[in-house]
Amino acid sequence: MQHAVKILEPTDLWYLQNNINKETNKYYHPTKNIPFVQQVEISLENSGTIIQKGALHRCVGKLTYGVYKTDNRLRDMWVALRTEIEYNAPVYQGTGMVYLEPRPKGHFLHYTSVEISDREQWEFDDGVFQFCSDNVVMGAKRLKFRQIAGSGDGKWRLALRALSGQIAQVVTGTTAPARIIELRRGEVLIADYDMVKGYTNGIEEDYRKLGHFGRGGGEGFIWMYGGEGKLLVTETDGMGLG
């Protein structure tokens, strides 16, 4: 499974009909909104992908359609009830192209590819997951009350692990650029905002007040991460630089 993120612009006829000079006003016009859109293309070569329900725009090729399910249907339904993932999420397999729904200008996302092995489990904030290869097992993990209050991402996180002996690929979407960092034993990550959008099962997360009785440096509540593992972070989230 491979993917590409394309930015599509209006046709030359659209520019002509709206009396806009394409060469000088391609990206900005003082009075008219030029409708750029962002679309994800997923290329399959004897492989498969699981996408969010309702995310399909079109597909073409020698493809078969199915429904995501594991050997535990109750678990699939539990995931659907607790996260944005549907237990009947569509699965496309074979050789061809799958196109996701285009996103209008102002709602673009930054997409990050994450490799997952069968030895590590990733947990993602609800809404961060976009699509993945079909060799995964999905689950849900309940957040602590303090985490719920601090993140605004609901009560549950989506948990993903590759099938035994395989490597899976997950693509996430965030409003700010994201990257993967690694915490080694003894290291701690402290942030004054919800910059971590996912982490592996070796990471311990806590949302707590820094200090007591006003002796916390004026920071109030902070996010703290310890342990050993990987994190998906959006360092510029909240800066308005998305």
Side-chain angles (χ1 to χ4, degrees):
M1 182 191 76
Q2 296 180 339
H3 77 281
V5 182
K6 301 292 183 67
I7 304 297
L8 308 178
E9 65 172 301
T11 63
D12 291 343
L13 181 59
W14 184 92
Y15 285 105
L16 183 62
Q17 289 175 333
N18 286 272
N19 196 27
I20 295 178
N21 188 320
K22 181 179 178 180
E23 300 301 323
T24 59
N25 296 106
K26 180 176 181 179
Y27 298 109
Y28 173 77
H29 192 275
T31 60
K32 293 185 179 180
N33 181 31
I34 302 177
F36 285 87
V37 298
Q38 180 191 57
Q39 187 172 50
V40 177
E41 303 176 357
I42 306 172
S43 175
L44 301 178
E45 186 70 33
N46 292 323
S47 57
T49 182
I50 303 172
I51 66 175
Q52 289 273 22
K53 184 180 179 181
L56 177 72
H57 186 254
R58 67 186 189 277
C59 62
V60 61
K62 297 180 179 180
L63 298 170
T64 59
Y65 167 79
V67 174
Y68 165 75
K69 58 183 177 181
T70 65
D71 56 354
N72 190 329
R73 197 61 171 166
L74 289 177
R75 176 174 56 194
D76 300 342
M77 296 181 67
W78 180 258
V79 174
L81 290 171
R82 300 305 180 182
T83 71
E84 289 188 359
I85 287 294
E86 296 278 355
Y87 74 91
N88 55 346
V91 181
Y92 297 90
Q93 295 173 317
T95 299
M97 297 292 297
V98 177
Y99 301 84
L100 302 187
E101 283 286 355
R103 305 182 69 89
K105 185 170 62 177
H107 299 276
F108 288 3
L109 292 178
H110 297 270
Y111 292 90
T112 306
S113 181
V114 182
E115 281 195 351
I116 299 180
S117 71
D118 61 342
R119 298 185 302 274
E120 62 182 13
Q121 175 176 289
W122 274 85
E123 298 174 18
F124 296 105
D125 286 356
D126 208 13
V128 171
F129 169 85
Q130 299 299 309
F131 60 93
C132 66
S133 53
D134 62 346
N135 57 338
V136 299
V137 177
M138 294 182 175
K141 186 174 180 181
R142 186 179 178 88
L143 277 69
K144 300 176 183 177
F145 175 77
R146 287 180 296 179
Q147 295 170 315
I148 297 172
S151 67
D153 291 318
K155 299 179 180 179
W156 299 84
R157 284 204 176 100
L158 182 68
L160 291 171
R161 183 189 295 270
L163 294 177
S164 179
Q166 300 186 32
I167 299 293
Q169 182 184 2
V170 178
V171 177
T172 63
T174 52
T175 55
R179 69 186 183 98
I180 297 175
I181 65 173
E182 189 168 353
L183 275 187
R184 297 179 177 85
R185 189 174 299 278
E187 294 182 334
V188 177
L189 170 64
I190 300 175
D192 194 28
Y193 63 101
D194 188 17
M195 68 177 286
V196 177
K197 304 303 180 183
Y199 54 84
T200 58
N201 51 346
I203 298 295
E204 298 175 358
E205 179 189 63
D206 195 10
Y207 182 70
R208 65 189 188 191
K209 191 172 182 64
L210 191 65
H212 302 281
F213 304 109
R215 297 193 176 120
E219 297 298 339
F221 284 90
I222 52 91
W223 289 94
M224 181 172 289
Y225 298 87
E228 189 174 8
K230 299 175 183 177
L231 304 97
L232 180 70
V233 300
T234 54
E235 296 169 338
T236 60
D237 194 14
M239 295 184 184
L241 303 175

